[in-house]
Structures are given as structure tokens and as C-alpha cells.
């Protein structure tokens, strides 16, 4: 077993920290008034105070990656209360996983179609930033996710291995808290409710989309919608497997990992899409429709419910095993 200060962990920590620097540098420069990577006429230059506030907030968010990298690799990190680590790590997983999946898929689709490089999400972002900014930023996010994820797996093995060892079929009677089965079925139903609109939008439908989002959509947008739809499935699969003991010969860590990954991505991006879709104002064409708001709200409900179910399950398992959270 490697120790929190072993050479592999120090190397992963260094990679995670270095991967944050390009994004942090750009954001700090923009807060300071620089236009690096921002073309003339960009909409970012029309709302300087709002843009500066958003950039400042995103600097703090990415700086949290550095804090997590330190926490996961220092001896004192093993003494931090479980929830103080688990919540920000869950948020980081949820925000980074769709980027780590979606951006490479978009590059593959562009290569297959023979199209040039363009921003990896909504087409109107080409107006806001130069294309190289997206390549630098998303590459950094992918490296951050890989390094931070590896560090978290090593940390969890040291601190919580008894909680996720064994197989699903070996769970003792009463290991699943009361009410979990009904909640798991509800989560599965809500997951489908969230996945259907994203699936429609991934196939080119504009039903229920705001006019500004429906206009000029292309392959990049379709890939992203498919990714958002796909991430609702692991969350539902994980809780159903644990609640009903499906796949008894499978290792317990599999459904736990599915629930962790799916719930984080679903909740975090549901919240991010809701906040970034103009819900607090802006032109009428930019504001989310009722279907969009409902979809994003259901995503948040699914993700948070799965998080709560997972926490209950692990807490009960810790009590039965006499473990320390």
C-alpha cells in the first residue's frame, strides 16, 4: 500500500496542481482586465462586472482542486471529517466527468466528419472566446480529473476500504436501509424523465428548447446532450443494484462507483445548466423554457437523492462493520 506521501501520490498531486494553472492564469488575467483569448465584439466585454464576478467565482472553484489534491496526499487529510472531503470531491467528480467524456467525443466526431475545430458546446460560444482557449481549458480539466480521481481512489482505499469490499450477494440482511427500494425505483423513474429530453435534443429535436439554443445547433451540441442523457443511467443503475441485490456476484464497489459518478454528473450539470441558461434574466430568447427548467430540476433531484441514499447505505454499513467514517 502506498502512503499519503509516497512518490506516486506526490507525482499525481503535482500533475493536478500544474493542470490547474492555465485555467487559473486565464481567469486571473480576465479579472485584471486582460482580453487574452477574447475577440473584439465578444459578449463577455458587454457585462464587465458580471463577467469579473463569474471569473472570480470560477477561480475559487478551480483552486479547490488544489486544496483537494493536498488533502488527499497529506497525513492530516486522513483526519478530516468524511463529509468535508466527500461533498467537494463529489462536486468535482460531477463537474469534470462530463467534460472528460464529452470533449474527446466531440473531437472524434469532428475528425470523423472532417470538420474544423470549434468550441465544444453551444455554438454561440465561438463569439465569446478564441478556439484555442477551449482546447487549453478542457485539456487541463481532463488532466485534473484523471489525477484527482486517481488520488481519491488511493485515499478511499486507505480510509474506507472495508465499506466497499466484498460482493453484492454477500451483503447481510438489513444492510440496505428501510425505504431504499422505493426510493431507488423513484430515482430510476426520474432518471428516465431527465434522460428523455436530452435524448431528443441529442437526435436533433428542438422541442422545448429556448429559441436561442435551438438556433445553429450542430454535432457538438448533439454529443453534449447525449452525454447528459447517458450520465443519468449510472446513477439509477447503482442504486437499483444495491437496493435489490442485482448482480450478486459483482463487486460492491461497482454499483457504488456508478452511483457516485452518475449522481455527481447529473446533479452538478443540472444545476450548472439551470444557472447558465439565463434563468435569472436576459433576452427572452435566451431564457429556459418550462421543459428545460423541469429537466434540469429533475437532474438535480436525482443526483441529490442518490447521494443521500449512498450516504445512508455507507453509514449503516459502517455501523454494522464497526468502521470509522
Amino acid at each position: 500500500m502506498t502512503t499519503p506521501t509516497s512518490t506516486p501520490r506526490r507525482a499525481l498531486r503535482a500533475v493536478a496542481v500544474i493542470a490547474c494553472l492555465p485555467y487559473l492564469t486565464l481567469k486571473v488575467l480576465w479579472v485584471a482586465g486582460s482580453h487574452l483569448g477574447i475577440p473584439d465584439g465578444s459578449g463577455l466585454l458587454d457585462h464587465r462586472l458580471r463577467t469579473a464576478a463569474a471569473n472570480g467565482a470560477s477561480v475559487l472553484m478551480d483552486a479547490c482542486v488544489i486544496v483537494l489534491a493536498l488533502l488527499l496526499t497529506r497525513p492530516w487529510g486522513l483526519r478530516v471529517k468524511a463529509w468535508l472531503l466527500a461533498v467537494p470531491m463529489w462536486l468535482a467528480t460531477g463537474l469534470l466527468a462530463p467534460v472528460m467524456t464529452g470533449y474527446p467525443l466531440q473531437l472524434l466526431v469532428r475528425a470523423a466528419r472532417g470538420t474544423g475545430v470549434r468550441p465544444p458546446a453551444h455554438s454561440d460560444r465561438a463569439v465569446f472566446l478564441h478556439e484555442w482557449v477551449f482546447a487549453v481549458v478542457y485539456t487541463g480539466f481532463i488532466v485534473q480529473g484523471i489525477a484527482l480521481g486517481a488520488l481519491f481512489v488511493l485515499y478511499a482505499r486507505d480510509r474506507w476500504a472495508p465499506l466497499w469490499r466484498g460482493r453484492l450477494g454477500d451483503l447481510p440482511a438489513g444492510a440496505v436501509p428501510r425505504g431504499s427500494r422505493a426510493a431507488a425505483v423513484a430515482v430510476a423513474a426520474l432518471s428516465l424523465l431527465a434522460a428523455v429530453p436530452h435524448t431528443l435534443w441529442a437526435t436533433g429535436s428542438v422541442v422545448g428548447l429556448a429559441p436561442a439554443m435551438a438556433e445553429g445547433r450542430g454535432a457538438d451540441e448533439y454529443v453534449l446532450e447525449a452525454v447528459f442523457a447517458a450520465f443519468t443511467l449510472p446513477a439509477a443503475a447503482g442504486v437499483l443494484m444495491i437496493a435489490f441485490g442485482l448482480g450478486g456476484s459483482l463487486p460492491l464497489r461497482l454499483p457504488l462507483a456508478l452511483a457516485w459518478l452518475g449522481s455527481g454528473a447529473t446533479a452538478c450539470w443540472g444545476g450548472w445548466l439551470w444557472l447558465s441558461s439565463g434563468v435569472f434574466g436576459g433576452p427572452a430568447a435566451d431564457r429556459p423554457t418550462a421543459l428545460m427548467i423541469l429537466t434540469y430540476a429533475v437532474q438535480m433531484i436525482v443526483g441529490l437523492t442518490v447521494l443521500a441514499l449512498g450516504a445512508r447505505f455507507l453509514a449503516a454499513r459502517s455501523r454494522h462493520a464497526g468502521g470509522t467514517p
Side-chain angles (χ1 to χ4, degrees), residues 68 81-94 260 268 307:
L68 285 172
K81 287 185 178 296
W83 71 269
L84 282 176
L85 167 66
V87 171
M89 193 65 216
W90 179 76
L91 293 171
T93 303
W260 174 275
C268 292
L307 177 65

Side-chain angles (χ1 to χ4, degrees), residues 47-143:
H47 307 283
R48 296 181 184 273
L49 289 178
R50 185 188 305 173
T51 300
N55 285 330
S58 55
V59 165
L60 293 176
M61 289 174 63
D62 207 43
C64 288
V65 172
I66 298 176
V67 175
L68 285 172
L70 291 171
L71 189 153
L72 293 170
T73 53
R74 301 299 301 168
W76 54 264
L78 293 171
R79 299 190 295 271
V80 172
K81 287 185 178 296
W83 71 269
L84 282 176
L85 167 66
V87 171
M89 193 65 216
W90 179 76
L91 293 171
T93 303
L95 290 171
L96 290 173
V99 173
M100 297 171 66
T101 307
Y103 186 58
L105 285 175
Q106 288 172 332
L107 293 178
L108 288 174
V109 170
R110 293 176 206 155
R113 294 166 60 94
T115 56
V117 177
R118 57 188 292 268
H122 302 309
S123 58
D124 61 353
R125 292 202 300 188
V127 177
F128 293 137
L129 295 169
H130 289 303
E131 293 172 355
W132 64 264
V133 174
F134 294 99
V136 169
V137 167
Y138 283 103
T139 300
F141 285 163
I142 291 171
V143 175

Side-chain angles (χ1 to χ4, degrees), residues 173-195:
V176 178
R178 175 178 285 181
S180 293
R181 289 188 173 183
V185 172
V187 162
L190 289 174
S191 295
L192 289 176
L193 185 60

Side-chain angles (χ1 to χ4, degrees), residues 131-224:
E131 293 172 355
W132 64 264
V133 174
F134 294 99
V136 169
V137 167
Y138 283 103
T139 300
F141 285 163
I142 291 171
V143 175
Q144 289 175 41
I146 294 172
L148 202 62
L151 287 173
F152 183 64
V153 169
L154 293 172
Y155 179 100
R157 184 187 65 183
D158 292 344
R159 184 169 180 178
W160 298 307
L163 300 183
W164 46 264
R165 281 179 181 158
R167 299 185 179 277
L168 273 167
D170 297 333
L171 289 176
V176 178
R178 175 178 285 181
S180 293
R181 289 188 173 183
V185 172
V187 162
L190 289 174
S191 295
L192 289 176
L193 185 60
V196 167
H198 283 300
T199 302
L200 289 174
W201 298 332
T203 56
S205 173
V206 296
V207 173
L209 282 176
M213 295 185 65
E215 183 180 355
R217 302 176 78 237
D220 284 346
E221 290 75 25
Y222 301 150
V223 169
L224 272 184

